[in-house]
Structure formats: structure tokens, C-alpha cells
Amino acid sequence: MDIVIIGTGNVATILGRKMLLAGHRILQVFGRHPGRTAGLAERLGADPVHAVGDLSARADLILLALSDSSYASVAGSMPHTRSLVVHTAGAVSLQVLKGCGDRYGVLYPLQSLSCELDEIPDFPLLIDGNGEESLQILQSLAAGLSKIVVRADDDTRLRYHLGGVLVNNFTNHLYALTAAWCEKEGIAFSLLQPLITETAVRLARVLPAAVQTGPAIRHDAVSLEKHRRLLEGSPGLSALYEALTKSIQQFHHKK
Ligand SMILES: NC(=O)c1ccc[n+]([C@@H]2O[C@H](COP(=O)([O-])OP(=O)(O)OC[C@H]3O[C@@H](n4cnc5c(N)ncnc54)[C@H](OP(=O)(O)O)[C@@H]3O)[C@@H](O)[C@H]2O)c1
């Protein structure tokens, strides 16, 4: 496929590299920032462009990988096109692209992606399209990029997006708070790494509820009290400790 990429951030970079590896041609990279646009275009063997009027009419696919709030304005500024136009957002409706042309869709990577990744991880691709033709093109493109391709409408994609925020963004924030707390207390966060990895790996085989351990599920009052005293100087972590302890006890009481 001949592809134009709009955006120069994390997803534009990773999907662009994946598409190139899968044998597609990236014709152009469109961006606002001259340095970032030229850098990604060079990496993908594409031409950098900065005006929507210069977008190639030869593209089979135009991929928009933008901040969620900018899809409507960027899509609205694009000339009507015969290319299939897709966005990559979990929480943005497919319909934001309806003015772009006859065929539009979504190619949403269910993974945390960052420009700096050396090795591109595997990730499910959730696809949607405005009709069977758009869906079939996207199904065939996505199958060349990922082993897991799932059709998901706006509502379903939003639910997966929220699931991703809960299991990834929130746990990572807990890691960040814990790392800062470890530093303050003079202990090594790195010693907790095997614990993080072991639980994450186990979850491929068993349900999370089955691997819950710790003082909250055991109602171990003495240990809980010791922890509370240690967190007295950390109000943010202390509030989370209380909320999560209560949640674990209520969840496992109900079962
Ligand atoms: N990163 C992830 O893990 C991930 C995973 C799945 C899906 N997504 C979705 O993929 C999309 C892109 O995410 P990302 O992480 O790649 O974001 P990002 O790294 O912040 O990149 C956003 C891009 O949008 C451009 N942009 C923002 N506002 C613009 C405007 N008004 N006009 C033109 N360009 C504009 C930015 O340009 P400048 O550099 O000039 O600001 C930048 O190139 C989002 O919809 C996100 O929800 C992200």
C-alpha cells in the first residue's frame, strides 16, 4: 500500500515503522514541526509535508495519528480524498472522519507506544470502518501488522481503551509513586522488579483475582497498621493505600 502519515508522535512513528517492515511504502509524513517531520520522514523514506494542500492524491491510505482533540480540526481542513482515511484513537468516534471522503475507519493499537522503543512490541489492532469495503481493506492491512486483529465499534473500542487505562496507566502511576517513595526511604525500587514481572507474566495463565495476596486480603490488621504509620508522611500514597485496601477487602468478601 502507498501510505501518507499525518502526525509525527509515538503512534505515527511506531505504526510507520511497522508498516515499512510489512512492505508498505510511506509516501509522505505531514507535521507541524519542521524538525520532527523531517526526522520521521527520513526514517520512513518519505517526503516531509507541512500543508494539507500538498497531500498526495496517490495514497491508498491516509493515517492520522494526532492528539485526540485535534482530529476534528485536522480532518476538517483536509481536501476531500479518494484514499481510505483512518485514525488511531481509542476514545474518538469513527464519525470524526466522515467529511474526509467515502471511505474512513479506525486502526487502534491496544498497546502503550513510545517513539523511543527499539523493539516494537506485539499489540492487538482494533479496527472499524464506515462500510464493508473500508473494513476489508483495514482487515487485510492490519493482518500484515499484527497477529491479533479485532473488529470493534466506537463503544467497544472505548471500553478497551478504558481497560487499558486501568491496567496500564493506573498501575504505572502506582509504580511511579512507589519508586519516588522508595527513593525517599533509601530503599531500592529495583528489588521490586521481579515482583512486578512475575505477577504480569502469571496473568497470561490465571485470572487476577486468583493471584491476589497481601495483608489486605488476609485482613492482617497488625501489618496494615505498620504500613499506615510508614505512609503518614505521604498523603497521596496513604489515600491510595486506604482506597485499594478497602477495595480488595470488599471485592474478595463478595466472592
Ligand atoms: N501512545 C500510545 O500509547 C497510544 C496507543 C494507542 C493509541 N494512541 C492514540 O494515537 C494518537 C496519537 O497518540 P501519540 O501517543 O502518538 O501522541 P503524540 O506522541 O503526542 O503525537 C501527537 C501528534 O499530533 C500532532 N498534533 C497535535 N495537535 C495537532 C494539530 N492541531 N494539528 C496538527 N498536528 C497536531 C502533534 O504535533 P506536534 O508535535 O507539532 O505537537 C504530534 O505529531 C492519539 O489519538 C492516541 O489516543 C496512542
Side-chain angles (χ1 to χ4, degrees), residues 143-200:
L145 303 175
S146 169
K147 290 195 272 293
I148 307 171
V149 178
V150 177
R151 289 187 182 193
D153 62 12
D154 282 353
D155 288 348
T156 307
R157 195 171 65 257
L158 182 62
R159 284 174 167 77
Y160 279 113
H161 183 254
L162 173 56
V165 168
L166 294 171
V167 300
N168 178 52
N169 301 155
F170 285 4
T171 48
N172 191 61
H173 179 58
L174 209 47
Y175 299 153
L177 288 174
T178 305
W181 178 81
C182 285
E183 196 178 356
K184 191 171 91 167
E185 297 292 316
I187 65 168
F189 178 71
S190 60
L191 253 62
L192 300 173
Q193 183 63 54
L195 193 54
I196 295 171
T197 308
E198 173 60 22
T199 305

Side-chain angles (χ1 to χ4, degrees), residues 8-11 32 36 66-68 70-71 88-89 109 111-113:
T8 57
N10 298 308
V11 172
R32 297 188 291 193
R36 279 196 283 278
L66 301 168
S67 50
D68 289 0
S70 63
Y71 286 109
T88 61
Q111 180 57 278
S112 168
L113 300 174

Side-chain angles (χ1 to χ4, degrees), residues 94-108:
L94 162 73
Q95 296 307 327
V96 76
L97 301 177
K98 72 171 181 245
C100 293
D102 295 338
R103 294 175 302 162
Y104 51 95
V106 179
L107 184 69
Y108 170 60

Side-chain angles (χ1 to χ4, degrees), residues 5-197:
I5 294 181
I6 299 191
T8 57
N10 298 308
V11 172
T13 303
I14 298 295
L15 282 183
R17 285 170 56 197
K18 238 186 190 308
M19 286 167 166
L20 204 60
L21 284 171
H24 301 290
R25 199 151 54 121
I26 313 300
L27 300 179
Q28 296 174 322
V29 172
F30 171 98
R32 297 188 291 193
H33 188 280
R36 279 196 283 278
T37 310
L40 182 59
E42 188 183 354
R43 191 168 189 189
L44 301 177
D47 292 327
V49 283
H50 301 287
V52 284
D54 293 336
L55 292 176
S56 171
R58 285 193 297 116
D60 301 303
L61 179 91
I62 300 178
L63 177 91
L64 279 74
L66 301 168
S67 50
D68 289 0
S69 58
S70 63
Y71 286 109
S73 64
V74 174
S77 71
M78 285 167 51
H80 198 268
T81 177
R82 295 172 62 186
S83 315
L84 171 61
V85 183
V86 301
H87 76 62
T88 61
V92 176
S93 169
L94 162 73
Q95 296 307 327
V96 76
L97 301 177
K98 72 171 181 245
C100 293
D102 295 338
R103 294 175 302 162
Y104 51 95
V106 179
L107 184 69
Y108 170 60
L110 188 50
Q111 180 57 278
S112 168
L113 300 174
S114 161
C115 290
E116 292 89 42
L117 292 171
D118 286 332
E119 277 190 32
I120 305 178
D122 275 340
F123 46 79
L125 278 169
L126 273 52
I127 60 167
D128 194 9
N130 69 316
E132 210 38 52
E133 191 192 351
S134 305
L135 270 167
Q136 269 173 20
I137 298 170
L138 275 173
Q139 176 75 43
S140 144
L141 168 72
L145 303 175
S146 169
K147 290 195 272 293
I148 307 171
V149 178
V150 177
R151 289 187 182 193
D153 62 12
D154 282 353
D155 288 348
T156 307
R157 195 171 65 257
L158 182 62
R159 284 174 167 77
Y160 279 113
H161 183 254
L162 173 56
V165 168
L166 294 171
V167 300
N168 178 52
N169 301 155
F170 285 4
T171 48
N172 191 61
H173 179 58
L174 209 47
Y175 299 153
L177 288 174
T178 305
W181 178 81
C182 285
E183 196 178 356
K184 191 171 91 167
E185 297 292 316
I187 65 168
F189 178 71
S190 60
L191 253 62
L192 300 173
Q193 183 63 54
L195 193 54
I196 295 171
T197 308

